[in-house]
Amino acid sequence: MKILVVGTGAREHAICSALADESTVYSVMSNRNPGISRIATEFLIAPEVDIEKVVGFAVEKGVDMAFIGPEAPLEKGIVDALLEADIPAVGPTMGAARIETDKSFMRDLFEKYRIPGSITYRAFSDLDELREFMDHFDGEAVVKPVGLTGGKGVKIVGEHLRDNTEALEYAEEVIKNRIGGHAGVVIEERIIGEEFTVQAFSDGERILPMPAVQDHPHAYEGDQGPITGGMGSYSDKDGLLPFMTEKDYEEAVQIMQKTVEAIKREEGPYKGILYGQFMLSADGPKLIEYNARFGDPEAMNVLPLLESGMVEICEGIVDGNLKSASFRNLATVCKYLVPEGYPDAGVAGAEIRVDEDRIRDMGVITYYAAVNQEDRRIYTSSSRALALVAISDDIYSAEELCEEAAGHVHGKLYHRRDIGTRELVEKRIKHMEDIRSS
């Protein structure tokens, strides 16, 4: 089977790796990712949002299926265009992808279909209505652009904003400057708890959930600094996380199942990957937001654990006939190495050297992200460079392996050394215990 993977980053490198043993992989990527270019039989360097070029390449190569990695082409309707060319795709249509690309659509869906796990919210495009609402809003506000911002547009009172006055100023800026591509903003109540992610395969009727993962979006150790696209993540061997119960996980999965059912009624079947970002509160899981694709870095935690055939799963998604998906009972730790100055002004064009053989001999996986390959040399862009993923019987031994592997990557890079450490994980556990007992 010929499968086209659309996307450039470490997430897409992981997807290509999962498909490579059972299919012939083709790629459209905006930069020459060294990992993807080794796997792909043929690749095209082009913007993933250039729908005409992507579909043209798919038709020219006679691919049987496409797998869409990032969110931007989903928002542009790439799946709709592929379907018109009789090429099925793992990824939702433009309408169904609104679960990520339009945050007000997502919240309205929860309200209309009474899906549990929602939170207090309001969406605004009118500045006067926004100001009036904020004048009477008692809680700490979370400000979200309606559209896509690459995970970097959300600002929270108590973390990035001093108070609701600063929240109002940022919300006004979002509307005036159309941050995220829309003159709209969503104000939500801040929920205190521990964040976690559940990703699921969806065939439009049912979902098959994957192990829970915790991402670390803050740039610096100790959960300090600006929000990034994600600095790393971990998963535990039982598919849960150390601070959550099986009941917490099942409630999150049920929220996602009801969401897929609601999307089908509004926009048609949701076929692809649904990513649910939750906050585990004293009252159980609360849905923070959805992504209409694999998470990055969370994809790198779950895909190396997948025991079921990835191609068979993809066929089940597009045919509306998902059967099962099983994962190995092991823990994972993923750490991103990023250029100095990231995320505000990452150093671009700096050469990095990766001793892949030494890393591989340790049993650690290298996934390349937003780098450029020229004449066998690898150079940074201003974004994340590469991810290292270690797999072991427990989180802490996986973390030690991952940290050791990072010593075999050289260049103007930094990473969060605390991800997956006993100190940070136990801090999460204690935080959740305090919340449950308060």
Side-chain angles (χ1 to χ4, degrees):
M1 176 172 282
K2 295 180 178 181
I3 301 181
L4 170 65
V5 177
V6 178
T8 305
R11 167 183 50 211
E12 289 75 30
H13 186 180
I15 292 166
C16 289
S17 298
L19 292 168
D21 290 341
E22 304 174 280
S23 66
T24 303
V25 175
Y26 292 78
S27 165
V28 174
M29 48 184 165
S30 57
N31 303 332
R32 180 168 177 171
N33 180 308
I36 296 174
S37 62
R38 285 179 215 151
I39 294 170
T41 298
E42 291 186 58
F43 60 87
L44 172 68
I45 304 297
E48 294 101 337
V49 293
D50 190 332
I51 307 301
E52 188 176 341
K53 277 190 178 179
V54 174
V55 175
F57 183 73
V59 171
E60 177 190 341
K61 301 306 172 185
V63 303
D64 301 296
M65 184 189 304
F67 197 120
I68 314 304
E71 62 274 24
L74 293 171
E75 184 181 36
K76 298 290 185 183
I78 192 170
V79 170
D80 308 68
L82 286 162
L83 292 174
E84 286 179 13
D86 293 322
I87 299 171
V90 178
T93 61
M94 182 166 60
R98 291 173 65 205
I99 198 68
E100 173 175 10
T101 63
D102 184 345
K103 292 178 179 62
S104 57
F105 168 79
M106 182 269 285
R107 287 297 176 199
D108 290 345
L109 202 71
F110 267 61
E111 191 171 289
K112 180 175 181 180
Y113 291 95
R114 298 182 180 179
I115 300 171
S118 191
I119 60 180
T120 301
Y121 79 98
R122 281 283 301 275
F124 299 94
S125 57
D126 182 275
L127 289 171
D128 290 334
E129 290 181 5
L130 168 67
R131 291 167 186 142
E132 183 179 354
F133 176 81
M134 291 299 291
D135 281 344
H136 300 90
F137 188 70
D138 294 329
E140 293 180 318
V142 178
V143 183
K144 295 183 176 182
V146 166
L148 300 175
T149 58
K152 300 169 188 173
V154 177
K155 293 195 177 183
I156 303 168
V157 170
E159 291 190 27
H160 323 99
L161 304 167
R162 197 166 47 242
D163 51 31
N164 280 355
T165 300
E166 282 195 0
L168 174 59
E169 290 171 359
Y170 176 58
E172 290 176 340
E173 180 186 343
V174 169
I175 292 175
K176 290 174 182 176
N177 297 333
R178 302 178 64 88
I179 295 175
H182 301 271
V185 69
V186 173
I187 305 295
E188 297 175 351
E189 62 172 325
R190 183 188 183 193
I191 303 296
I192 302 300
E194 283 294 330
E195 286 194 33
F196 69 94
T197 296
V198 177
Q199 301 167 105
F201 302 109
S202 171
D203 64 6
E205 293 282 350
R206 63 181 297 222
I207 66 170
L208 298 178
M210 307 180 213
V213 181
Q214 187 172 51
D215 180 30
H216 297 69
H218 290 88
Y220 310 130
E221 292 174 12
D223 300 322
Q224 300 298 307
I227 294 290
T228 72
M231 292 296 292
S233 46
Y234 68 87
S235 67
D236 210 351
K237 64 180 181 180
D238 57 2
L240 305 177
L241 289 166
F243 54 80
M244 71 189 301
T245 67
E246 188 171 347
K247 181 174 181 287
D248 297 328
Y249 178 83
E250 289 173 353
E251 286 181 4
V253 170
Q254 188 60 27
I255 290 168
M256 295 173 70
Q257 177 64 49
K258 290 181 180 297
T259 301
V260 167
E261 293 167 4
I263 295 171
K264 183 180 179 182
R265 295 188 188 102
E266 293 290 316
E267 297 288 349
Y270 184 99
K271 296 187 175 186
I273 312 301
L274 184 62
Y275 163 119
Q277 181 184 355
F278 294 90
M279 184 71 77
L280 183 55
S281 72
D283 300 319
K286 301 293 183 181
L287 194 283
I288 302 301
E289 64 181 17
Y290 279 121
N291 290 335
R293 34 71 188 183
F294 267 121
D296 186 345
E298 295 95 335
M300 281 94 81
N301 296 95
V302 297
L303 285 175
L305 300 179
L306 184 63
E307 291 182 312
S308 308
M310 184 66 165
V311 171
E312 183 180 351
I313 288 172
C314 291
E315 289 177 320
I317 288 171
V318 299
D319 294 338
N321 189 29
L322 268 177
K323 292 183 172 62
S324 63
S326 60
F327 296 84
R328 290 187 289 163
N329 262 352
L330 293 169
T332 68
V333 171
C334 171
K335 298 194 182 191
Y336 251 119
L337 280 71
V338 303
E340 293 176 359
Y342 176 83
D344 296 323
V347 175
E351 184 178 357
I352 60 174
R353 300 178 307 284
V354 185
D355 192 339
E356 289 189 52
D357 292 336
R358 293 282 293 275
I359 293 170
R360 189 183 305 110
D361 289 345
M362 295 172 59
V364 176
I365 306 169
T366 303
Y367 291 123
Y368 285 98
V371 294
N372 294 293
Q373 183 179 4
E374 298 174 14
D375 300 326
R376 297 187 179 181
R377 294 186 175 185
I378 300 169
Y379 299 90
T380 60
S381 70
S382 60
S383 191
R384 296 175 295 180
L386 62 95
L388 297 173
V389 178
I391 302 170
S392 189
D393 289 328
D394 62 82
I395 294 169
Y396 308 122
S397 56
E399 187 278 327
E400 290 173 0
L401 264 178
C402 200
E403 194 60 40
E404 185 180 347
H408 299 299
V409 182
H410 307 282
K412 294 182 177 179
L413 303 169
Y414 78 92
H415 69 282
R416 278 189 58 172
R417 298 174 183 273
D418 62 342
I419 294 171
T421 59
R422 186 178 298 275
E423 181 182 6
L424 191 58
V425 173
E426 289 182 351
K427 177 183 172 184
R428 306 275 196 250
I429 296 170
K430 177 67 164 57
H431 184 218
M432 204 62 235
E433 287 175 350
D434 292 344
I435 288 170
R436 290 187 198 272
S437 62
S438 62

